[in-house]
Amino acid sequence: MQHRLIIETAMARAVGLAARGLGRTSPNPVVGCVVLDASGRIVGEGHHERAGGPHAEVVALRAAGDAARGGTAVVTLEPCRHTGRTGPCTSALLEAGIASVVIAVPDPTRTAGGGADLLRDNGVDVVEGVGREAAAHVNRAWLRATVAGRPHVTWKLASTLDGRTAAADGTSRWITGPQARAAVHRLRAERDAVLVGGGTLRADDPHLAVRDLPGAHQPLRVVLDSGAKIPLEARVLDDVAPTLVVVADDADASRLLAAGVDVLAVPRGPRGLDVVAVLTTLHERGVRSLLLEGGARLAATCIAHDLVDEVVAHIAPALLGAGTSVLADAGITTMTGALRLDTTDVQRLGDDVALTATVRRDH
């Protein structure tokens, strides 16, 4: 096994490579791999670029060629042992003559898991857990979706210091500055889908596509429109990115279907459309990460159903004192019942502050 510092450095590089696949690989995970030769020199690296394409290990091994023999593969997720659209990565590692494999996170799935044991059975030295926290974080959406059977949900909000998303007269543009708005486009590009409710649709006519990031992935735009009343001129129905309009199963969506709009019908729930059914269906369509962009009632419904996994809050140094609150009634009535989160990142975006926090699952 290579010197630990070399291995940790290679794993950090592999995590960075994995991040390049965010928004592009679903329903597969993001994975990065670095191959070291017998002396500890990097001779190959790669990441999983898209579903159906070669896995990270295969890309890295191709780059390494014969230099991989007797070396070490450093990979962010346990190599798969099954044949899907591509062959098993365990076979590729064995055929390349890799002597040791360093794995950050075990694969939790029944179909692909067990690769570490297979490698050990074939004489490969396997070490697990190096860089696990960072590797799990970059792959958190896929890992959560695998366990929950629904997409990992990030709620993005923008508010004033006193928690308002719009003034008393209804105006809401712009709460935050250009740097925060640019950060939103990066968030979209790293997700499979973006979701808004009917209130946001009617109030803001949002576009929801990624802008000013050349070559960026365009997420699926999902709009909740229970009555199927969305105007065909709505910006979200252009051809810049795919769009799914979710309507109630008792609504007349013939106008939308005739116009070629992709429509999903779901049952109504106590707070509007059945959001659990929406997320379950999106998961079935391959969506593993979702950015919830509005509004206050939809966010409250998702929180009430324990569907929010992460919050990215863009806070502007401004005060309104009246207007629309960032969150509607989520059924929380006491401080002991408050939904607690763990802060994972704080950034300054111009005059604004971006705070990222994950929901504590022990609540």
Side-chain angles (χ1 to χ4, degrees):
M1 180 61 62
Q2 307 287 351
H3 188 276
R4 186 168 183 85
L5 179 59
I6 295 175
I7 295 297
E8 290 176 347
T9 301
M11 183 62 78
R13 173 62 180 168
V15 170
L17 291 168
R20 296 181 181 180
L22 287 170
R24 301 176 182 272
T25 65
S26 287
N28 295 345
V30 293
V31 183
C33 180
V34 172
V35 175
L36 308 173
D37 66 12
S39 67
R41 181 173 59 96
I42 293 178
V43 291
E45 60 180 32
H47 69 283
H48 185 39
E49 296 184 10
R50 59 179 178 82
H55 290 187
E57 297 93 323
V58 173
V59 176
L61 289 171
R62 286 176 180 171
D66 292 339
R69 190 161 300 277
T72 298
V74 180
V75 61
T76 57
L77 183 70
E78 181 180 12
C80 63
R81 61 179 298 169
H82 78 300
T83 300
R85 282 185 279 184
T86 61
C89 293
T90 47
S91 297
L93 291 165
L94 293 172
E95 291 169 4
I98 286 290
S100 58
V101 176
V102 180
I103 299 167
V105 179
D107 191 315
T109 64
R110 291 184 179 180
T111 54
D117 290 338
L118 178 63
L119 291 169
R120 289 190 182 99
D121 291 344
N122 283 271
V124 176
D125 182 22
V126 178
V127 175
E128 300 182 70
V130 177
R132 179 166 184 162
E133 183 176 351
H137 181 74
V138 76
N139 211 16
R140 62 193 182 282
W142 182 82
L143 291 169
R144 178 61 184 161
T146 298
V147 172
R150 61 158 177 83
H152 176 279
V153 176
T154 300
W155 176 32
K156 192 283 300 180
L157 63 94
S159 77
T160 60
L161 278 175
D162 55 341
R164 306 291 178 175
T165 60
D169 65 356
T171 55
S172 60
R173 294 183 180 180
W174 295 102
I175 292 174
T176 54
Q179 289 177 256
R181 297 199 293 274
V184 172
H185 289 282
R186 292 192 293 272
L187 287 173
R188 290 176 181 171
E190 293 179 350
R191 270 47 179 202
D192 300 329
V194 179
L195 174 67
V196 297
T200 299
L201 175 70
R202 292 185 293 272
D204 298 336
D205 187 23
H207 191 224
L208 303 180
V210 177
R211 297 192 304 274
D212 302 324
L213 289 176
H217 156 76
Q218 289 289 354
L220 172 67
R221 299 175 293 185
V222 183
V223 178
L224 303 188
D225 179 29
S226 59
K229 302 296 186 182
I230 182 172
L232 295 180
E233 300 77 25
R235 295 200 301 156
V236 77
L237 294 181
D238 65 14
D239 59 0
V240 172
T243 300
L244 175 66
V245 177
V246 184
V247 304
D249 56 9
D250 58 359
D252 180 6
S254 57
R255 177 181 61 92
L256 300 178
L257 293 171
V261 177
D262 188 9
V263 175
L264 169 67
V266 300
R268 295 183 186 270
R271 292 172 174 242
L273 293 176
D274 185 342
V275 291
V276 174
V278 174
L279 295 189
T280 300
T281 303
L282 289 175
H283 184 271
E284 292 170 352
R285 289 184 172 215
V287 173
R288 297 295 180 266
S289 59
L290 183 143
L291 187 65
L292 171 61
E293 290 207 36
R297 288 198 304 166
L298 178 56
T301 299
C302 289
I303 287 174
H305 285 84
D306 194 23
L307 299 175
V308 174
D309 302 294
E310 181 179 62
V311 177
V312 177
H314 290 173
I315 310 299
L319 299 170
L320 285 171
T324 305
S325 295
V326 68
L327 183 65
D329 181 5
I332 301 170
T333 58
T334 66
M335 280 304 300
T336 56
L339 182 61
R340 299 291 181 176
L341 301 92
D342 294 316
T343 301
T344 58
D345 187 55
V346 179
Q347 295 183 41
R348 181 166 178 171
L349 301 174
D351 288 332
D352 306 317
V353 174
L355 183 146
T356 303
T358 57
V359 172
R360 296 179 187 174
R361 282 296 159 201
D362 58 0
H363 69 279

